[in-house]
Structure formats: C-alpha cells, structure tokens
Amino acid sequence: MANEEKIPPAGESVTEVTFIKWARQDGEAVKEGDPIAEVETDKANADLYASTSGVLKYAAGIGAGKVLKIGAVFATIDPSAKPTASAKPAEAPKPAGAAAPVAAPNHAASPSATKNAQLDDLSPATRRAAAEGNVDVSKIAGTGPHGRITKEDVEKTGNGAAPASTPSTTAAVATPAGSAPSVATPVSKPAAPPTANPGGVRRVPMSKIRKKIAENLVRAKNTTAMLTTFNEVDMSAIMKLRAQYKEPFEKKHGIGLGFMGFFVKACSIGLKEFERVNGQVDGDDVLLFDNVHMGVAVSTERGLTVPVLKYADQMSFAKIENEIKRVAIAARDGKLGIDEMSGGTFTITNGGIFGSLLSTPILNPPQSAILGMHAIKDRPVAIDGKVEIRPMMNLALSYDHRIIDGKESVSFLVRVKQLLEDPTRLLLDV
C-alpha cells in the first residue's frame, strides 16, 4: 500500500508553503530519508524527505509555484511498486497559472556563465516578480547569498531604480579584406522617461515574509500581557575568558568561541530554575517544558528567522557554538529544515550587532519570554567604592505577565546576569 507524503508542520506561524522543485523523478525508486522535493516557507527554503523506501509518485498538479497547505499530500511512495524512471531529478509540469521562468538573453561568446547560473537559481517568488514587472534579470547584480538575485533586487529594478549592473552591447562592423579594421561602435538605448513619482512617494509591495512578521508582531501585542524588565551585565570576565582560551578552544573544537554561546548556556540554566519563563499559555492551561529549545534570531535578506537549538540545555559549549554557526549559515542560504524552525520554548535576539544600546524585544508566539542582547560599551561603573571603566551590556527580558510574575522575570534576569559575570558558574552549574 502506497504511503502518503504530506507537507509537514513548518513552525508555529506557518500555514502554507510554496512548492519549488522535485529532487527525484516521478516513478523513481527512493530510500527513506532521501530528499524528494524542495519548498519555500515564509521563513526559509526547506527540503522534504522520503518517509519510507519505495517508488515515488507525484500527486496531480504539483509543480513549481504551487501553494500547498500544511498537511497536504504532495506525493506517494509505494514500497511494492517497480520503478519506471532512472535516478535523475526532474521537474514536474507546472500547474496552470504558475509563473514561467524568466529566460536570460543568449549572448553568444559573452562572459555570462556565472550570471546564467544565478538565473537558474531564482526562487519562484523572484521569477513571478520579474515576470509581473517585465524585468530583465540578466542586468541585475544579485545581493543575496553567493550573488543570488532576490525578489527585492527585482522589485527595486522594477520600481525605477537603476540596475546594479548594466552591460553595454557593441555591434561589430564588417571590414573588407585588406582594409584597416574599424572600431566597434557602441549601440546605446534611448534614455527611458523618468518614472512618475509625484511627491517623491514610491509604493513597494510588502514581501510575503514581511507580511507574516507583521501579523505575528500584531498578534503578540494584542494577545499577550507583555512587559519588559531591564538589567545590565559586566562583560569583563567573559571577554577575559575568551581572550585566554579562544585559540585553544578553536584548535580543539574547530569553532570560534563567541558571545552567544555564553548567553545560550546561561539562559538554559536560568530557564531550568524558573520554568514558567520557559513555558507557554495553551487555552486555560500552562505548558511547562522539561527541556530548553532555544530560538536564536538570525537576520537574513528575507527578514528575521529564528532557528531552534533543540535540547540546548544538554549541549556543551562546543556543541552550542557549532549549532549556532550551522543554523545561521543555513538560515542565510535559505536551507533550514522545517523542523529546525519550530518547537522553540525561548528566544534570544541580539540587536547589539547592529549597534542597538537598548530596545524592547517583542515576544515570539507562542513563547512567553524573549531576551534582548545589546551592544557592549565601555562605561564608568562603581566597583568596591571606586569608579572603573567596564565593558557593559544592557539586557532586556520581555515576558507574558499572564503566566510570569514580575518577581519571577526579574529573578531570572538577575540569575542570567550572575552566571555571565562569573562564567565559571556555567561550567560548574552553581
């Protein structure tokens, strides 16, 4: 009996995905765990894997650009069937109404191999934007990872902004035998009329992920009793520890010793002691989790993405640093797995990398608390009755007052401060 392959849950706020491409042919034999398709969510691109071994059969009408609800059947795998196709990935026919790819002009003998590779890598959303705006994507220098052309690049060009790269075209003039060669004459296009822009106002469509971010932020503000408590932490001890052990740590574990690992470790300890900060409201009940699944906010070209480090409370420093690096790269390349973006119980966001000194982070539903890190700045502080200059960071904890009391939130943040200012406590768990 054939097994139905369904679109899996893709995070608490994701209700649908856009199909990008097939990774295996219709009628091909696949093994359990093989990637069989790729989809695009509001947060990132994700591969879909075979749940069993057998012969893959496409569901009718599934192809690039198709929007599918979570739980929708996109294929079947029959363990008893015989394969009818060889192991060569192929794209299924596109459903009616799907946007066609925008083809790049064929410039013979032109140095365009790199650009053509970029054009083949356009996402469905980028292709649709190019088709709707009649934009020649071959003249755009992509700003995405590895030079990939993004939807925003297309929209900027379509709204009248000058393309980042506009190659000129020259026409070769025939030269009779024996005569002096003539100079190629540039063929210039007539200047385009200026785009109508009354009052200096431009209307730019909101991207899909920006719409979803907006919905989540409004929902968090309207459905939670959100408050924020603040504190500051002296980063001297951590900076001294990093300076002393950064090289041997990297030599042994193959990964740098960053600041985020200390915060993940400190928060994991604090959350085990103040379990409601790690909890969630579920109707008239409160969900309390035995483990910490730490969300770490990552800024990407598509917007803010929050990959989740599952069981962060059980990870070593080296494991935490490796996982942070791995999910950050996957998020920026749009290659996070669907399960890597769901199930978080607490989130850390670092506005300090952009220079923020103090901010009020908004909750990441259905979580009940989020910690905001900020820029480290040298400031005068009183130490044992004397004024000293110390590297200080402001911390902000936003929390849902429906299940977390002020005393509990403040105590949690004080505990995190205590652990960070004496990082040996992180190793000894005291």
Side-chain angles (χ1 to χ4, degrees):
M1 182 177 179
N3 184 70
E4 291 185 335
E5 301 297 304
K6 299 179 180 180
I7 302 296
E12 293 85 355
S13 61
V14 180
T15 60
E16 62 185 24
V17 301
T18 301
F19 195 91
I20 296 180
K21 64 181 180 181
W22 291 101
R24 295 290 187 272
Q25 277 191 310
D26 190 24
E28 180 184 340
V30 297
K31 296 180 180 179
E32 181 180 350
D34 283 349
I36 55 177
E38 183 178 356
V39 297
E40 180 183 48
T41 75
D42 295 331
K43 299 179 179 180
N45 289 11
D47 291 325
L48 302 180
Y49 300 92
S51 63
T52 188
S53 299
V55 174
L56 176 68
K57 179 66 177 178
Y58 298 166
I62 304 297
K66 179 74 172 180
V67 176
L68 300 168
K69 296 290 185 182
I70 300 299
V73 176
F74 68 93
T76 59
I77 296 178
D78 191 342
S80 61
K82 294 183 179 180
T84 59
S86 59
K88 180 181 178 181
E91 177 62 60
K94 295 177 177 58
V102 180
N106 183 18
H107 298 299
S110 65
S112 60
T114 301
K115 178 60 68 178
N116 286 339
Q118 294 173 4
L119 298 179
D120 293 338
D121 199 30
L122 293 181
S123 69
T126 304
R127 293 180 188 277
R128 286 195 295 273
E132 293 168 359
N134 195 26
V135 175
D136 185 355
V137 292
S138 68
K139 296 182 179 180
I140 301 176
T143 61
H146 311 297
R148 184 179 182 183
I149 299 172
T150 68
K151 181 182 177 183
E152 288 71 20
D153 295 332
V154 173
E155 290 173 343
K156 288 179 182 178
T157 303
N159 285 322
S165 174
T166 309
S168 59
T169 306
T170 58
V173 180
T175 304
S179 63
S182 60
V183 179
T185 305
V187 178
S188 59
K189 296 181 180 180
T195 304
N197 191 15
V201 178
R202 293 180 294 116
R203 183 181 296 274
V204 180
M206 189 179 289
S207 66
K208 186 175 182 181
I209 189 170
R210 180 55 54 185
K211 289 179 182 178
K212 183 56 65 175
I213 290 173
E215 291 174 6
N216 289 343
L217 294 178
V218 172
R219 179 161 62 95
K221 294 286 287 185
N222 291 342
T223 62
T224 64
M226 194 179 82
L227 292 179
T228 305
T229 184
F230 302 93
N231 212 318
E232 62 181 4
V233 58
D234 184 346
M235 298 292 289
S236 299
I238 288 179
M239 295 178 76
K240 181 180 179 180
L241 191 66
R242 288 184 71 239
Q244 183 176 357
Y245 294 106
K246 186 174 183 179
E247 288 188 10
F249 183 89
E250 186 170 2
K251 185 177 180 180
K252 179 175 182 178
H253 300 291
I255 188 69
L257 183 60
F259 287 113
M260 183 60 78
F262 289 93
F263 282 83
V264 170
K265 197 71 173 177
C267 287
S268 295
I269 293 175
L271 291 169
K272 298 298 286 279
E273 298 175 10
F274 301 93
E275 60 181 2
R276 281 181 173 262
V277 184
N278 195 46
Q280 297 176 7
V281 174
D282 184 23
D284 293 331
D285 299 323
V286 174
L287 302 180
L288 300 176
F289 300 92
D290 293 332
N291 294 103
V292 176
H293 305 307
M294 188 71 68
V296 179
V298 177
S299 178
T300 73
E301 63 168 28
R302 293 163 51 86
L304 197 66
T305 299
V306 186
V308 178
L309 309 185
K310 301 291 179 63
Y311 301 98
D313 54 310
Q314 299 178 16
M315 294 182 183
S316 65
F317 261 102
K319 178 66 172 177
I320 289 173
E321 292 291 356
N322 272 291
E323 282 297 288
I324 290 173
K325 180 179 180 180
R326 183 187 66 80
V327 298
I329 292 174
R332 288 168 185 148
D333 289 346
K335 288 296 183 181
L336 277 175
I338 286 180
D339 62 326
E340 294 175 305
M341 297 181 289
S342 60
T345 58
F346 184 85
T347 293
I348 301 177
T349 181
N350 185 8
I353 60 176
F354 304 111
S356 173
L357 285 177
L358 190 64
S359 65
T360 303
I362 296 181
L363 296 176
N364 181 22
Q367 297 170 27
S368 296
I370 180 172
L371 180 75
M373 299 167 55
H374 298 88
I376 302 172
K377 294 292 182 181
D378 287 342
R379 295 204 305 265
V381 294
I383 305 294
D384 297 328
K386 297 180 180 179
V387 176
E388 296 185 15
I389 303 300
R390 295 292 183 94
M392 305 297 292
M393 177 192 287
N394 291 321
L395 298 180
L397 178 74
S398 293
Y399 60 98
D400 190 344
H401 206 358
R402 291 180 299 169
I403 67 168
I404 303 172
D405 293 331
K407 177 183 177 181
E408 198 166 22
S409 64
V410 171
S411 298
F412 167 80
L413 196 54
V414 168
R415 177 60 167 150
V416 170
K417 169 185 170 71
Q418 180 188 51
L419 292 165
L420 293 171
E421 291 185 338
D422 186 3
T424 54
R425 291 177 176 269
L426 297 175
L427 304 177
L428 300 176
D429 194 13
V430 296

